[in-house]
Amino acid sequence: MRRRLQGLRALMQREELPAFLITHPPNCRYLSGFTGSSGVLLVTEDSSYLITDSRYREQARREAAGFTIILREGALAPELQSLLEEKGLERLGFEGEYLPFSSYNKFASGCGVELVPTGGLVEKLRAVKDEVEIGLLRRGAALADEAFNYILGVIRPGLTEQQVALELEFYQRRKGAEGIPFPYIVASGVRGSLPHGVAGSKVLREGELVTIDFGAIWKGYATDMTRTLALGRPSQRQREIYRVVKEAQERAREGLKAGMYCSEADALARHPINEAGLGKYFGHGLGHGVGLEVHEKPVLSRRSEEILRPGMVVTVEPGVYIPGWGGIRIEDMLLVEEDGAESLTNSGRELVIL
Ligand SMILES: [Mn+2]
């Protein structure tokens, strides 16, 4: 935690911010350890405060060691004002993406300091995981593999997509996961063309492909993986398109490494899909960072200007979605290393036929 605060202070210095207000809960958790749903952090060059209320008295002291805990009784703005005045600070950075306009107005009139919007400061730190975080993500990814192996023995024609989703969730929660990071996608048959086709009441049928995109939250950290499988003997076209997606995913997994632009990583998978004439059916980016949130920095897309760094954990998830036909996606979580990347999820990638 101390190293994380040091990182933030270096960024604050660069932005000429003597004080910074953190309001986005995952960012508060990342910097302080505090997991409560109501609380903000105020960080200055030499102090760090967690401002919350009496409901979190015990929890704040236990979780946010090293932070000065302030249990406020009234509004936040006057509390901030007195802290900033005490230190003679006149500029306060805030998270432009996460401070509601109504709160901004209250601070602007109640704090008596210059408010400076910022974007992505803590997110930039969070993109590169430390050893503790990598350990948690690794454990979560292993549980996702285990759950997928379990579900292979459960899935059969006649079940609804929702039943499959529930079984996957229940398996992981029984093993200690805290929850799910997003509503699971179980998209069967023609619904497979919906990249975000959340599990519905549709019944699985023989001859369909089923795309399953799921994960869990393990000690605060999200996991995210996808496999597409076949119910019964797949058609020639199903096999052919699966082969293209698998090849694209493999190229990205094998080619990804630190120092590469995220747009280059995207191109690794996009190229073989374009070559097969299926480019127009791969509408989204290659992947995204995963951590305290399931979608975080960096973004792996054609337009991304970010660079991959050792310690980033990102998904690699090319897909092909053909309206009226269905879809195929294969997704793994990768740990970016100096000269390659290690897949944290390792379920088989051959087309499973049930
Ligand atoms: Mn994903």
Side-chain angles (χ1 to χ4, degrees):
M1 296 288 169
R2 181 172 294 174
R3 196 169 299 167
R4 297 177 187 178
L5 265 185
Q6 278 171 1
L8 177 64
R9 287 190 171 116
L11 293 177
M12 285 166 56
Q13 204 164 25
R14 217 174 64 186
E15 306 283 324
E16 295 175 7
L17 295 172
F20 190 52
L21 177 70
I22 298 111
T23 53
H24 185 45
N27 289 347
C28 292
R29 177 174 184 159
Y30 178 77
L31 293 166
S32 71
F34 180 63
T35 63
S37 57
S38 177
V40 302
L41 305 181
L42 176 67
V43 175
T44 70
E45 277 161 47
D46 55 7
S47 15
S48 49
Y49 303 94
L50 164 58
I51 307 170
T52 178
D53 61 68
S54 63
R55 289 172 299 171
Y56 294 103
R57 183 191 307 270
E58 271 189 67
Q59 187 183 336
R61 291 199 176 121
R62 200 168 53 234
E63 292 179 339
F67 275 68
T68 304
I69 313 291
I70 296 177
L71 302 174
R72 70 180 169 93
E73 282 166 10
L76 181 56
E79 195 72 60
L80 286 172
Q81 185 179 22
S82 70
L83 285 169
L84 294 166
E85 259 175 19
E86 212 174 275
K87 295 187 163 284
L89 300 176
E90 288 168 350
R91 266 165 70 84
L92 175 64
F94 69 96
E95 301 179 291
E97 287 157 281
Y98 297 111
L99 191 69
F101 185 63
S102 56
S103 307
Y104 173 82
N105 279 338
K106 279 183 208 154
F107 293 162
S109 58
C111 282
V113 294
E114 183 193 352
L115 291 173
V116 184
T118 68
L121 289 196
V122 183
E123 288 80 355
K124 190 182 163 84
L125 300 172
R126 279 173 48 196
V128 176
K129 272 64 183 176
D130 59 32
E131 285 307 316
V132 174
E133 295 182 290
I134 291 170
L136 296 175
L137 286 161
R138 197 183 284 286
R139 179 70 190 80
L143 180 60
D145 277 332
E146 225 185 89
F148 183 71
N149 187 47
Y150 164 77
I151 207 70
L152 288 180
V154 172
I155 294 183
R156 58 177 189 281
L159 290 182
T160 65
E161 294 172 348
Q162 283 161 328
Q163 285 171 315
V164 173
L166 183 61
E167 288 291 335
L168 269 170
E169 176 179 349
F170 195 64
Y171 182 91
Q172 292 176 99
R173 297 196 69 163
R174 208 165 44 209
K175 300 269 175 165
E178 296 139 44
I180 57 172
F182 55 90
Y184 289 171
I185 293 157
V186 180
S188 60
V190 290
R191 289 194 73 245
S193 68
L194 307 169
H196 276 184
V198 170
S201 56
K202 186 186 164 302
V203 173
L204 307 186
R205 291 203 186 81
E206 183 92 11
E208 290 179 334
L209 296 178
V210 189
T211 298
I212 302 173
D213 186 345
F214 70 101
I217 298 171
W218 184 263
K219 300 200 193 307
Y221 282 78
T223 57
D224 190 8
M225 80 173 255
T226 306
R227 290 293 184 270
T228 301
L229 44 87
L231 296 176
R233 219 176 109 82
S235 70
Q236 197 53 41
R237 187 149 191 242
Q238 287 171 334
R239 276 182 200 278
E240 177 51 27
I241 297 177
Y242 190 92
R243 194 192 58 74
V244 172
V245 174
K246 177 169 167 284
E247 158 97 23
Q249 208 256 357
E250 195 171 293
R251 291 232 201 138
R253 258 189 304 113
E254 290 179 354
L256 211 83
K257 61 177 185 215
M260 183 177 261
Y261 278 101
C262 290
S263 54
E264 291 178 85
D266 180 275
L268 290 172
R270 201 165 297 279
H271 181 70
I273 292 178
N274 285 343
E275 289 286 286
L278 296 168
K280 67 173 168 177
Y281 300 121
F282 176 21
H284 57 72
L286 176 66
H288 52 87
V290 196
L292 286 169
E293 290 176 279
V294 69
H295 292 120
E296 55 181 52
K297 295 284 177 190
V299 176
L300 280 66
S301 74
R302 275 174 282 194
R303 291 168 303 281
S304 176
E305 287 167 3
E306 292 165 287
I307 293 175
L308 291 173
R309 310 266 179 219
M312 285 181 167
V313 173
V314 300
T315 66
V316 163
E317 48 177 313
V320 165
Y321 314 94
I322 305 178
W325 180 78
I328 294 168
R329 177 168 67 252
I330 304 173
E331 173 182 30
D332 286 298
M333 284 168 60
L334 268 65
L335 169 62
V336 179
E337 293 169 339
E338 212 58 73
D339 48 7
E342 178 198 345
S343 191
L344 301 181
T345 43
N346 287 295
S347 295
R349 299 168 189 102
E350 292 297 327
L351 179 57
V352 174
I353 301 168
L354 293 175

